[in-house]
Amino acid sequence: MKKFLAQLIQSLLIGALFVFTAAAQYKNDSHINLSGIWAFQIDSLDQGIADKWYNLQLKEQIKLPGSMTTNGKGNEITVNTPWTGEILDKSWFTKSEYAKYRQPGNVKIPFWLQPEKYYKGAAWYQKTVNIPGSWKNKSIQLFIERSHWETTVWLDDVQIGMENSLGTAQIFEIGSQLQAGKHRLTIRVDNRIKSFNMGENAHSVSDHTQTNWNGMVGELSLKARSKVFISDVQLYPDIKNKQVLVKVQLNNTTGTPKEVSLSLSAILDKKGAAKGKSLSRKLLLSEKENAIEMVYSMGDDPLLWNEFHPNLYKMQVSLDPQKQGESDRKSISFGMREFKAKGTQFTINGKLTFLRGALDCASFPKTGYPPTDVASWMKIFSTAKAHGLNHIRFHSWCPPEAAFTAADRLGLFLQVESAAWANGGNGASIGDGLPLDKYIYEESEKMVKAYGNHPSFVMMTYGNEPGGKDMVKYLVDFVNYWKAKDSRRMYTTAAGWPQNDVSDYNNMPEPRIQGWGQGLTSIINKEAPRSDYDFAKMISNWKQPTVSHEIGQWCVYPNFREIKKYDGVLKPKNFEIFRDKLQENGLSMLADSFFMASGKLQALCYKADIEAALRTPGFAGFQLLGLNDFPGQGTALVGVLDPFWEPKPYINAAEYRRFCAPVVLLARLPKMIYTNNEELNVPLEIANFSDAPIKEVVSWSVESESGIRLFNGSFKNEAIAMGNAIKLGTIRQSLGAIKKAQRVILKATILNHTNTWDIFVYPKEHSETPKEIMITQALDAKAIETLNQGGKVLLTLKKGSVKPEMGGDIKIGFSTIFWNTAWTKSQPPTTMGILCDPKHPALAEFPTQYHSNWQWWDAMTHSNAIMLSAIGKDIKPIVRVIDDWVTARPLGLVFECNVGKGKLLVSAIDLLTDQDNRPEARQLRYSLEQYMNGAAFKPGHTVDLTKIQQLINE
């Protein structure tokens, strides 16, 4: 009886809720807002359709817009959670070190951000709606801005239809026969990959980034339209002829021909702007959809849209009946622009431009789904522009309308993709006759119809990195189809590959300083530091523009202070695992230092990557894998911004814009390390992709770390045209006046644009090694005897002489980690640069900051790391190596200790081999020798000789 009463009360409350929410629906003459409380029920057994749940009253409640997760619905996270996303490194499921994170109540995963709840399957949403009498004979439409993602709708007991677009609003035509009064609206949402498989890693659906959420977000509404209405408007600007081709689709659902008047008028989207002339045409509409074309003149001097002047217009389209009846109106935002190729580069309105881009991979930690409001996107895109970017690629997904609106206002170029990453794995391929092939065409059609008028929408692909035995033919056909159908943007086969002559542009991964799988053979890890190379030869095989695909991917150590920012539905349990590991290894006090030092190296790597692209003549642009962190695929901390698009403290937007901006000064340095008997011989260039040529003097200087100007000069140029690889002059400067080893800063300035490069100058000659210091590459009998007699020994180990278990198997290199070790199967390097105290007396003659800079390239390529835990837990190295955050081992390059009666300084850097050609090694050795010869050399810890001996291969 108690159970019956409880159920009765619950039913009455839900019924009352339905009546209340129906009454509370915001409505005007043509719109009912469906936001608010809905009834809800999970259908984990997939029985709702068979049992006709659309005829039942659902038992729970949920708030929309929102997802199940934002409403606390779903299952607890367990080891058996059925994730949508590939997990390459499965050690979390098997290794004992992760056992505590697999326990109920303490489940923590390292693969990506962890949702508070998870559900994959069907769920039902229900609401009572009150149709007003004024809607009689109106054509009614259900509008769901973003549903995730297969959505089936019933009104009362009638199935209205099913939609499954991942990138556009889902619109259901209810018709004009609906009676006034209350009706039950029931919606079933299913977030499983079913007939069409876009790939479990596609950012449109994957738990790697936005999560595979179930729900509906953005605008939820019922709309009423007159029986003769405007169904679509597409605008095709023609800047040459100063006009717009307007294509209008008109629907006549009356059943009889109708006389109407179609009117057009454009107005500049600025307060107080004058309305343009009206253009009208009288029409007799047939009893079906009618396609109308009109050419609208924009006047003598229409304002153009570009990144510097994002001028927008609104086209007012009016449909008025000739006899008594209701009119229909649409207002469409557009820009007068033309985005084209000129040889191997892009132009906007006939002027050369260069794409400085980053990816948006759909990471939204607060909600787990993308925002649909313009303000949120304005924050993201304004941050991108503050860092010098003018381009965003949406990796395997399409954003909501608000993103296009924000990009239009700010002058950003967008590359949008049709929801897929069909890489050939787990049944996801393209071009093999699977349902996805048809879906891609349908999805791209919906995207172009929904967003095609936005001037920011300049590029489109099928999606990311495809696989499939017949993918080339499919993708070539796809490109040809869209090139013939809509010339408002440019098309390529896919992001990544394959390249093909039919594509308007290439989006290829090769032009970069480190590619996937290159490891220690890449430019930045194998070749001595310089900035005089480019990718001209690499792109010379192609006649169309080339945009480099997913460059960078340079990691920074986790910022554990960031954890508190995750106050939404996604939690950084991965960071908690990494923090625990650091603490277990006794290094938690260094967390902030690891973060800052690796961040400085990350910024250096990005500067090298971006400048190489800007130096390349004829290059079209780059796409960073991320300006912000990518939280999935094993945790890829590749951003100088966090996942919230907020800054990290080691580089700010102004510093980033020195090497990433419309105007960037470039130095072709043949090397970064000099001795003072040499001369600087450095060609200066400029990449000018501003809005106009520049006529201004270029000044340069070489300054000390303290800001003292050592040398300076200038170049006077005629007007600097648009483009890159534009030569300004060559700096020729003797370095003989520099007597002391130091870091100096080469600085170049034009107008308010400055760029800088760190170079290092060392004395060519040094004093002899003090005789009381023994320098050796082996801990041989003589070295042991020296220590036993109270002597001083500098042990400088050859690369490869450290035992594997003592650190010799650690893949050390100059750059920081590429992407991460979990997803790349430990692609080297697996370290993240050095950390040291620059004021330590051992480094007094080897100028350094606390982090890696170019002078450490030599050391990192001639060394092995040493596991300090094998020596002693209290050893604090002079130079530390930052390990991968997954293993977080205490690693050193240089440390000191007492052995027996003597003093030992161990350098895991080989400071002797080929030292005549290694000025950094000579200088570091000299600095260590001077330290060992002075009173400051007082090691604080004593280590047994056998501990040292066990480090080294016999």
Side-chain angles (χ1 to χ4, degrees), residues 266-328:
I267 183 171
L268 189 64
D269 193 7
K270 287 185 178 178
K271 190 175 182 180
K275 192 174 183 180
K277 292 182 179 180
S278 181
L279 175 66
S280 299
R281 182 190 295 182
K282 291 183 179 180
L283 304 166
L284 178 64
L285 299 183
S286 62
E287 305 164 33
K288 57 182 181 180
E289 189 171 64
N290 296 257
I292 309 298
E293 292 189 6
M294 298 170 67
V295 175
Y296 184 90
S297 173
M298 293 296 294
D300 295 333
D301 194 22
L303 298 179
L304 303 184
W305 181 95
N306 64 21
E307 67 174 288
F308 307 105
H309 307 287
N311 299 299
L312 294 171
Y313 287 88
K314 284 190 178 293
M315 182 68 74
Q316 313 285 354
V317 184
S318 302
L319 182 65
D320 296 296
Q322 296 298 295
K323 297 180 181 179
Q324 185 177 1
E326 295 182 0
S327 60
D328 194 16

Side-chain angles (χ1 to χ4, degrees), residues 380-609:
I380 291 171
F381 291 162
S382 295
T383 302
K385 289 210 76 171
H387 285 77
L389 301 184
N390 64 357
H391 170 49
I392 299 291
R393 174 198 161 206
F394 288 91
H395 181 311
S396 60
W397 79 292
C398 177
E401 176 83 19
F404 292 92
T405 299
D408 292 347
R409 294 178 183 176
L410 292 171
L412 276 176
F413 304 118
L414 304 185
Q415 175 174 310
V416 181
E417 300 179 7
S418 304
W421 183 358
N423 60 5
N426 296 320
S429 66
I430 199 75
D432 292 341
L434 300 174
L436 181 64
D437 290 354
K438 182 172 179 287
Y439 180 81
I440 291 298
Y441 274 91
E442 293 172 347
E443 189 75 346
S444 61
E445 293 276 8
K446 292 174 182 175
M447 287 160 44
V448 170
K449 181 178 179 180
Y451 312 126
N453 293 316
H454 288 280
S456 56
F457 186 4
V458 299
M459 304 158 85
M460 186 172 78
T461 80
Y462 115 92
N464 187 60
E465 298 175 356
K469 58 184 175 62
D470 293 321
M471 69 172 180
V472 174
K473 181 182 185 308
Y474 174 91
L475 294 169
V476 166
D477 289 347
F478 180 78
V479 169
N480 281 329
Y481 172 83
W482 277 109
K483 286 171 67 175
K485 185 178 175 90
D486 193 335
S487 62
R488 289 177 292 180
R489 64 197 56 81
M490 303 184 75
Y491 307 95
T492 192
T493 50
W497 55 77
Q499 283 77 53
N500 193 281
D501 285 337
V502 306
S503 292
D504 288 323
Y505 66 100
N506 295 322
N507 200 179
M508 56 191 278
E510 286 79 6
R512 54 179 16 173
I513 64 172
Q514 174 139 339
W516 195 280
Q518 283 188 302
L520 301 180
T521 66
S522 65
I523 292 172
I524 195 168
N525 279 303
K526 185 178 181 180
E527 300 183 17
R530 58 193 177 97
S531 67
D532 60 352
Y533 56 89
D534 59 43
F535 308 124
K537 183 176 180 182
M538 193 176 295
I539 67 170
S540 64
N541 297 323
W542 299 101
K543 62 181 181 181
Q544 66 265 60
T546 294
V547 180
S548 53
H549 167 74
E550 298 185 359
I551 72 164
Q553 307 191 36
W554 303 115
C555 281
V556 63
Y557 208 82
N559 179 14
F560 299 128
R561 295 180 185 271
E562 189 183 295
I563 292 175
K564 62 185 178 184
K565 296 175 72 170
Y566 292 83
D567 56 3
V569 300
L570 296 180
K571 305 300 184 187
K573 302 295 184 180
N574 47 356
F575 274 32
E576 293 177 18
I577 294 173
F578 308 145
R579 184 179 59 185
D580 289 351
K581 175 61 72 171
L582 198 67
Q583 186 172 8
E584 289 168 9
N585 289 341
L587 298 173
S588 56
M589 69 289 187
L590 293 174
D592 290 344
S593 298
F594 285 173
F595 167 61
M596 289 296 294
S598 62
K600 288 292 188 180
L601 176 57
Q602 179 199 48
L604 185 74
C605 293
Y606 274 119
K607 177 177 165 70
D609 240 330

Side-chain angles (χ1 to χ4, degrees), residues 145-410:
E145 183 169 0
R146 184 139 300 204
S147 180
H148 195 76
W149 69 89
E150 183 190 86
T151 308
T152 310
V153 173
W154 288 262
L155 196 64
D156 300 323
D157 61 353
V158 177
Q159 183 172 330
I160 302 300
M162 186 274 283
E163 294 288 339
N164 55 21
S165 175
L166 281 159
T168 62
Q170 296 186 6
I171 300 172
F172 296 84
E173 299 294 342
I174 296 175
S176 57
Q177 303 303 311
L178 194 62
Q179 297 296 312
K182 293 178 182 177
H183 294 271
R184 184 174 57 252
L185 178 64
T186 307
I187 301 175
R188 178 183 183 271
V189 179
D190 193 338
N191 62 336
R192 290 172 290 186
I193 293 177
K194 296 168 77 174
S195 59
F196 60 92
N197 186 350
M198 73 292 294
E200 63 180 333
N201 297 326
H203 302 332
S204 55
V205 301
S206 181
D207 286 311
H208 284 291
T209 55
Q210 68 171 297
T211 74
N212 185 15
W213 52 282
N214 187 305
M216 292 174 277
V217 300
E219 181 183 344
L220 291 169
S221 64
L222 287 171
K223 300 178 180 181
R225 301 170 303 187
S226 60
K227 297 186 76 172
V228 180
F229 61 89
I230 304 164
S231 65
D232 186 44
V233 180
Q234 295 295 321
L235 307 175
Y236 298 81
D238 179 350
I239 65 171
K240 180 181 179 182
N241 295 306
K242 303 177 183 179
Q243 63 189 26
V244 180
L245 173 62
V246 183
K247 295 184 178 182
V248 185
Q249 295 289 333
L250 302 176
N251 274 24
N252 175 14
T253 64
T254 64
T256 60
K258 287 292 180 182
E259 291 182 343
V260 297
S261 176
L262 181 66
S263 299
L264 309 176
S265 181
I267 183 171
L268 189 64
D269 193 7
K270 287 185 178 178
K271 190 175 182 180
K275 192 174 183 180
K277 292 182 179 180
S278 181
L279 175 66
S280 299
R281 182 190 295 182
K282 291 183 179 180
L283 304 166
L284 178 64
L285 299 183
S286 62
E287 305 164 33
K288 57 182 181 180
E289 189 171 64
N290 296 257
I292 309 298
E293 292 189 6
M294 298 170 67
V295 175
Y296 184 90
S297 173
M298 293 296 294
D300 295 333
D301 194 22
L303 298 179
L304 303 184
W305 181 95
N306 64 21
E307 67 174 288
F308 307 105
H309 307 287
N311 299 299
L312 294 171
Y313 287 88
K314 284 190 178 293
M315 182 68 74
Q316 313 285 354
V317 184
S318 302
L319 182 65
D320 296 296
Q322 296 298 295
K323 297 180 181 179
Q324 185 177 1
E326 295 182 0
S327 60
D328 194 16
R329 303 277 188 274
K330 276 188 178 292
S331 180
I332 300 97
S333 180
F334 72 101
M336 295 295 292
R337 67 102 173 116
E338 183 181 66
F339 188 77
K340 295 290 183 184
K342 182 179 181 181
T344 60
Q345 292 181 288
F346 293 119
T347 63
I348 179 72
N349 308 326
K351 292 183 177 180
L352 282 178
T353 190
F354 188 96
L355 296 185
R356 304 175 303 280
L359 272 57
D360 186 301
C361 294
S363 173
F364 307 102
K366 299 281 189 181
T367 59
Y369 55 73
T372 56
D373 64 294
V374 175
S376 294
W377 287 103
M378 288 292 286
K379 176 192 172 186
I380 291 171
F381 291 162
S382 295
T383 302
K385 289 210 76 171
H387 285 77
L389 301 184
N390 64 357
H391 170 49
I392 299 291
R393 174 198 161 206
F394 288 91
H395 181 311
S396 60
W397 79 292
C398 177
E401 176 83 19
F404 292 92
T405 299
D408 292 347
R409 294 178 183 176
L410 292 171

Side-chain angles (χ1 to χ4, degrees), residues 723-734:
N724 64 336
I726 299 171
K727 294 175 173 53
L728 300 175
T730 299
I731 298 170
R732 292 184 174 86
Q733 176 64 54
S734 168

Side-chain angles (χ1 to χ4, degrees), residues 67-83:
S67 70
M68 286 178 59
T69 313
T70 60
N71 281 274
K73 306 286 187 183
N75 303 315
E76 298 296 328
I77 308 303
T78 72
V79 292
N80 298 314
T81 295
W83 301 110

